[in-house]
Amino acid sequence: MTNLETKQSREEFIRHIEEHMKQASRKLLKINSRDEIMTVLGESFKELLKCDFVGIGLNLNGYLRLHYLAGDIDIEKIFPYPTDKVNPILYERSIKSDDNYLDPDSVLIQYFKKSGIDSWFTVPIAEDHSDLGIIIVGYYDTRPFFNEMRELFKELGAYAAIAMKTIQRNESSQRQILYFAQASHQLMMQNSIEDLLEKVVTLSGRESRSHYTGVYLLDQAHEALLLQKPTFGYVTLDDYIPLSKGNLLKDYLPRVEQIGYSQITIPLVINEQMVGAMVCEKPAEQIFSGKDFELLQTYANYFSAMYENLSLRRQEKIRRQELEELFNLQNNLIKSSLEQTDIDKMNQLLGEFVERDIIVFDQFLNPYSKYLQKDSSLERDILMKEIKNYKLKHVHLASEFRISVQDTEMVFRRIEGDREALGFIAYSENKVNLNKETFNLAISMALNIYATFFMKYKIERDALNQLKNSFVGTLFSGKPHEELNQIITYASYFNFDIDGSYDVALLAIEDVVPHSDDLVVRRIARNTVMNELIYHLSKFDSKLVTAIYKGRIVLLKARQGEEPGIYWQKLFKTIRKAVNPKIGLWIGIGGQVLELKDYRDRYDKAKHVLNVIQRTGHEPNFASYDELGSYVILNELNQIDETKLFVKSQLGKLWDASVDSSMDLFETLRVYLNNHCSIKASADELFLHRSTMNYRLEKIKEILEIELDDNKHQFNLLLAYHLFDLFGEKLFE
């Protein structure tokens, strides 16, 4: 350096070095490889300082390793050297041979002595507490070093550190991109959500050096987070985490998207909707860095995208399988229907497919066939009780309705044919794995097939009913002997003994939907009730012959067994309980048939009885011709004007006196006559004192101007009351 000092001033030399260092620094920042940085640094020192050797050591994997060497020297023998044994001052500042900062016994000093290196200096490759390496420059002869050079060389080392860190980041990014590309390829190759899950937690846990990594997914009802298996390591959190409305994810899982802690949670999002979360934990002394967060977020995003894709593929596969199974179900149901297979088999096929209890009812909600799952808790008796209660509240059954039975809700769907209810399918409304759309398709398809199945029986039943109607019409024609052959033919179908003795009765019902203007609706509703009554009549007495004839149900009861009066009382009580109490029912009994010619007469008498009990409000709503006596005869007078005149002449004044009076003398006289003119019996029935009863009778005598003790007057008054019962208040208009 003496020659240099003689040629130029010390200041010019320093400026020259400074300018050279600046150029080298700018050049370093443009370099993209670590080896090129080493070459530029080494050549800069060799060219500028004319040194005997330049060596550059870099810290890698716990050792200071020689990465560049220029000059005839064997300094590589002291490398690699443990990083933790390097004197820290070498990374803090530039050191020269005459500084005496290093221990004389240190490896570097001892090497210089043995190798004859007289002058040397070091430059740290360090920046912002990042100790990347050391530059060593040496001479075999003695050379002076200016203190001003320390900062210049240290600055150059800092630039080299910056350039190397930039390259490291680039290389790390490239490795990460390559790794993610490979990982993405691996994830995309997974054919199931389980495989995808295993790959994601393994990659996430391994790359972030987590103690454990697990994925939680929302259940179908979004009521809980469920830990998915497998996991990476053992997840110490609960497998099942119930959720509460209004709470956030941070209320359930630790450190949501927060770095700097040993735990972290990354939300899993699909189409801006959270579907779950990834949770990770490191050992207590370690924390998740920003780099870890980016890594885990990338895997979380990959998982969400692939999870959505696999879920759609799985749903499509399940949907395709369900449609294939639905097609097979349709074929099997149709086959069973065409082969007239027992409907129990059809129920089993449908129940197994929809995974629910299936019960088929007839049009009157009487159980026809059932399929119950093995774990079914449905109790038949309780169900039938609830059905009965429902029918009592609803005259008309809707096309779809629900009935709760303990903890099970049963959905009832009407099986229809030609606008009429042929029956009902009921199924339990429990949660199943079957797709809702597939389930609805299965039920709709079953309703159509069941309708075809039931329609066959309806056609057979209608044909049988038509035969019955023709048979009954022939019996009631009034000319049975002229049509005897036809009667005998019909009777053979129904095991009817034409020589036997039968009671003839008629069952009438009121209009079920009197306010409807749709005649078809009214006819269907009426027929439904009448068919239900026939069903319950057959249950009550399987030998009872029933037929719908001219809007009423004909009842032909063989005269045998218990006394007729008791039989009809039990029959009426049974059917009254069986149908909705809002529907009016009446039975008129025409009497016993001894021979064929009596059928027409007993039919006419039954009609007369119905007319009387419907008009008079007779209680109970059934009676025989013999019981009504004079009422039946009087019923025929309804078209005679003299009837009105007669009633008004006998009771008109008393009616007028009672209309606006608090004292009902009209009813008082009726009670008095019905009790055979007994004052005591009449007073007891009316809850009156005897003196009050006598007072009322005196007032009645004054108004009517007759003697009540006269038998003739008593007969006329009773007759007038009977006619009033038949024709009502219109007689006094």
Side-chain angles (χ1 to χ4, degrees):
M1 296 198 106
T2 305
N3 293 332
L4 290 173
E5 286 183 323
T6 59
K7 292 181 180 179
Q8 56 187 347
S9 68
R10 176 175 175 171
E11 291 80 7
E12 289 177 350
F13 175 70
I14 296 299
R15 280 199 300 273
H16 176 69
I17 292 178
E18 183 177 7
E19 183 63 29
H20 192 87
M21 293 295 105
K22 286 182 180 180
Q23 293 177 5
S25 298
R26 287 194 292 268
K27 190 174 183 180
L28 288 174
L29 294 177
K30 297 178 181 179
I31 296 173
N32 294 321
S33 75
R34 186 182 294 103
D35 291 340
E36 193 174 354
I37 289 176
M38 300 297 101
T39 302
V40 169
L41 283 173
E43 290 179 352
S44 295
F45 281 105
K46 284 283 285 183
E47 179 184 347
L48 178 64
L49 302 178
K50 309 302 181 183
C51 55
D52 292 319
F53 80 89
V54 177
I56 302 176
L58 297 180
N59 287 317
L60 291 174
N61 300 324
Y63 285 91
L64 183 66
R65 301 175 186 273
L66 187 64
H67 271 255
Y68 176 87
L69 179 62
D72 184 17
I73 194 168
D74 60 353
I75 196 171
E76 67 268 11
K77 66 173 59 175
I78 67 171
F79 293 96
Y81 189 78
T83 303
D84 56 354
K85 293 184 179 181
V86 176
N87 193 323
I89 198 171
L90 292 171
Y91 296 117
E92 296 173 4
R93 59 186 299 172
S94 179
I95 297 175
K96 53 190 177 65
S97 52
D98 57 354
D99 284 338
N100 297 320
Y101 286 125
L102 299 180
D103 187 342
D105 295 328
S106 65
V107 173
L108 190 60
I109 296 298
Q110 289 297 318
Y111 173 76
F112 287 155
K113 287 181 179 181
K114 291 179 183 179
S115 301
I117 302 300
D118 189 60
S119 302
W120 56 267
F121 67 90
T122 64
V123 178
I125 304 175
E127 192 269 336
D128 193 22
H129 305 292
S130 296
D131 303 330
L132 302 184
I134 300 171
I135 303 171
I136 304 173
V137 179
Y139 299 85
Y140 287 108
D141 56 356
T142 302
R143 303 290 180 99
F145 298 110
F146 303 134
N147 285 331
E148 291 90 340
M149 296 168 58
R150 290 183 191 273
E151 292 303 319
L152 293 175
F153 292 155
K154 184 178 179 181
E155 185 177 348
L156 179 62
Y159 275 110
I162 292 172
M164 289 177 63
K165 287 174 67 175
T166 302
I167 291 172
Q168 286 179 348
R169 282 196 294 268
N170 291 338
E171 290 176 347
S172 176
S173 297
Q174 290 174 0
R175 285 197 304 270
Q176 193 172 38
I177 290 171
L178 178 61
Y179 182 80
F180 280 140
Q182 294 173 345
S184 174
H185 178 72
Q186 293 179 32
L187 294 176
M188 293 179 66
M189 294 300 291
Q190 306 310 311
N191 293 320
S192 70
I193 293 175
E194 291 75 16
D195 292 341
L196 171 67
L197 181 68
E198 180 179 10
K199 204 70 180 177
V200 165
V201 296
T202 301
L203 291 172
S204 301
R206 191 173 62 204
E207 292 303 310
S208 64
R209 295 180 175 84
S210 295
H211 184 61
Y212 70 68
T213 298
V215 169
Y216 282 88
L217 294 178
L218 288 170
D219 63 358
Q220 290 184 346
H222 286 204
E223 296 176 347
L225 284 167
L226 305 178
L227 180 62
Q228 307 299 304
K229 303 296 183 180
T231 62
F232 178 78
Y234 176 72
V235 178
T236 57
L237 302 176
D238 293 337
D239 290 357
Y240 178 87
I241 303 177
L243 305 179
S244 299
K245 189 175 182 181
N247 287 357
L248 302 176
L249 184 61
K250 67 179 182 179
D251 298 321
Y252 304 102
L253 297 175
R255 305 297 178 185
V256 178
E257 297 184 309
Q258 294 182 18
I259 61 175
Y261 300 94
S262 62
Q263 293 178 306
I264 193 169
T265 298
I266 309 295
L268 301 175
V269 179
I270 296 177
N271 297 327
E272 300 183 359
Q273 295 292 324
M274 192 189 78
V275 297
M278 178 189 292
V279 293
C280 305
E281 181 177 281
K282 288 189 175 186
E285 66 277 4
Q286 299 180 23
I287 64 171
F288 285 96
S289 63
K291 182 179 178 182
D292 292 330
F293 174 74
E294 292 177 2
L295 173 80
L296 294 174
Q297 194 169 50
T298 300
Y299 278 121
N301 291 338
Y302 266 117
F303 177 82
S304 297
M306 296 304 301
Y307 176 74
E308 180 184 23
N309 189 25
L310 287 173
S311 295
L312 291 174
R313 284 166 55 188
R314 174 181 282 185
Q315 291 172 10
E316 182 62 28
K317 182 179 179 180
I318 292 173
R319 176 71 172 150
R320 188 164 56 249
Q321 290 175 345
E322 287 178 349
L323 289 176
E324 291 176 358
E325 292 172 0
L326 183 64
F327 179 74
N328 293 333
L329 174 66
Q330 181 182 33
N331 289 339
N332 291 332
L333 287 177
I334 292 174
K335 181 180 178 181
S336 298
S337 174
L338 294 176
E339 294 176 352
Q340 296 288 332
T341 304
D342 192 325
I343 198 171
D344 289 343
K345 178 63 176 176
M346 297 171 65
N347 269 0
Q348 181 181 353
L349 291 170
L350 179 60
E352 289 176 349
F353 181 80
V354 299
E355 301 178 20
R356 306 192 189 199
D357 296 335
I358 298 290
I359 304 179
V360 175
F361 296 83
D362 64 15
Q363 64 194 108
F364 317 120
L365 282 180
N366 300 302
Y368 192 86
S369 174
K370 69 177 184 298
Y371 167 79
L372 301 181
Q373 294 185 291
K374 292 181 180 180
D375 58 349
S376 174
S377 60
L378 188 64
E379 296 187 26
R380 180 185 182 279
D381 293 341
I382 299 178
L383 173 63
M384 295 311 299
K385 181 180 178 181
E386 294 299 330
I387 289 175
K388 183 177 180 180
N389 292 336
Y390 182 87
K391 290 175 66 177
L392 292 177
K393 296 177 183 177
H394 302 83
V395 177
H396 312 295
L397 299 177
S399 60
E400 180 177 338
F401 57 91
R402 297 167 182 263
I403 295 178
S404 295
V405 184
Q406 295 176 314
D407 296 331
T408 303
E409 186 169 54
M410 299 295 294
V411 180
F412 288 72
R413 299 280 298 274
R414 186 165 61 197
I415 303 171
E416 293 185 352
D418 193 23
R419 295 185 65 180
E420 293 188 48
L422 303 176
F424 290 87
I425 288 181
Y427 53 85
S428 53
E429 185 72 314
N430 55 311
K431 295 180 180 179
V432 294
N433 297 323
L434 189 64
N435 178 275
K436 184 177 181 181
E437 184 181 355
T438 304
F439 172 79
N440 290 333
L441 283 173
I443 293 297
S444 298
M445 177 195 68
L447 286 170
N448 291 329
I449 296 174
Y450 276 68
T452 303
F453 185 86
F454 275 95
M455 186 62 75
K456 298 175 189 175
Y457 292 101
K458 180 180 184 298
I459 293 171
E460 294 175 3
R461 186 176 65 248
D462 290 348
L464 183 63
N465 288 338
Q466 191 165 357
L467 280 175
K468 283 186 178 180
N469 294 345
S470 299
F471 171 53
V472 169
T474 305
L475 280 179
F476 296 159
S477 65
K479 303 174 183 179
H481 292 289
E482 297 179 11
E483 303 180 30
L484 183 60
N485 290 335
Q486 191 173 1
I487 290 176
I488 292 173
T489 301
Y490 285 139
S492 64
Y493 283 113
F494 313 117
N495 295 320
F496 187 82
D497 184 6
I498 61 175
D499 295 323
S501 178
Y502 287 84
D503 281 329
V504 177
L506 293 178
L507 170 59
I509 67 171
E510 67 178 344
D511 198 348
V512 180
V513 282
H515 305 297
S516 175
D517 295 330
D518 191 332
L519 295 178
V520 176
V521 170
R522 294 172 66 178
R523 177 184 63 81
I524 291 174
R526 184 178 182 84
N527 286 346
T528 299
V529 175
M530 296 183 82
N531 286 328
E532 183 175 9
L533 286 169
I534 289 175
Y535 170 83
H536 290 293
L537 288 168
S538 67
K539 290 290 185 181
F540 175 78
D541 183 358
S542 61
K543 296 181 180 180
L544 180 67
V545 179
T546 59
I548 299 176
Y549 182 69
K550 294 187 176 180
R552 296 185 174 106
I553 299 176
V554 175
L555 309 174
L556 301 179
K557 168 66 174 69
R559 181 59 81 90
Q560 59 186 14
E562 61 188 338
E563 194 271 326
I566 297 175
Y567 174 86
W568 294 113
Q569 183 180 10
K570 290 181 178 179
L571 181 146
F572 185 81
K573 185 178 181 181
T574 298
I575 62 173
R576 180 67 281 173
K577 288 182 178 180
V579 297
N580 194 292
K582 297 177 183 178
I583 300 174
L585 301 177
W586 298 270
I587 293 180
I589 306 161
Q592 183 181 7
V593 170
L594 298 177
E595 51 184 320
L596 283 177
K597 66 181 181 64
D598 295 335
Y599 278 101
R600 176 55 184 267
D601 175 71
R602 304 303 184 267
Y603 169 71
D604 289 338
K605 286 181 176 180
K607 285 199 304 181
H608 290 321
V609 174
L610 282 178
N611 289 335
V612 171
I613 62 178
Q614 286 179 295
R615 287 179 175 178
T616 62
H618 182 278
E619 290 291 343
N621 284 17
F622 67 93
S624 67
Y625 185 86
D626 294 337
E627 290 173 345
L628 293 181
S630 62
Y631 275 113
V632 182
I633 303 299
L634 295 176
N635 184 54
E636 297 300 309
L637 301 175
N638 64 338
Q639 299 299 327
I640 303 175
D641 291 339
E642 283 75 4
T643 300
K644 189 173 184 179
L645 295 174
F646 173 76
V647 174
K648 289 186 72 172
S649 67
Q650 295 296 317
L651 297 173
K653 294 179 181 179
L654 192 61
W655 173 264
D656 293 338
S658 299
V659 169
D660 298 321
S661 174
S662 60
M663 187 166 53
D664 192 351
L665 298 177
F666 188 84
E667 186 62 23
T668 299
L669 179 57
R670 179 204 289 272
V671 172
Y672 178 70
L673 294 172
N674 288 340
N675 283 289
H676 308 293
C677 299
S678 169
I679 293 177
K680 181 180 183 307
S682 301
D684 290 344
E685 183 175 337
L686 293 171
F687 300 100
L688 298 175
H689 192 273
R690 186 183 181 92
S691 60
T692 303
M693 186 68 193
N694 284 326
Y695 171 76
R696 288 192 177 188
L697 291 175
E698 289 300 322
K699 290 291 292 181
I700 291 171
K701 290 179 183 178
E702 291 178 9
I703 294 172
L704 296 180
E705 299 177 353
I706 60 171
E707 290 297 327
L708 297 179
D709 295 338
D710 189 297
N711 290 334
K712 177 182 176 183
H713 290 316
Q714 290 178 7
F715 174 80
N716 288 335
L717 289 172
L718 280 172
L719 181 60
Y721 271 112
H722 284 339
L723 290 170
F724 174 79
D725 289 339
L726 281 172
F727 307 118
E729 297 179 8
K730 65 181 181 180
L731 294 175
F732 296 116
E733 294 176 354

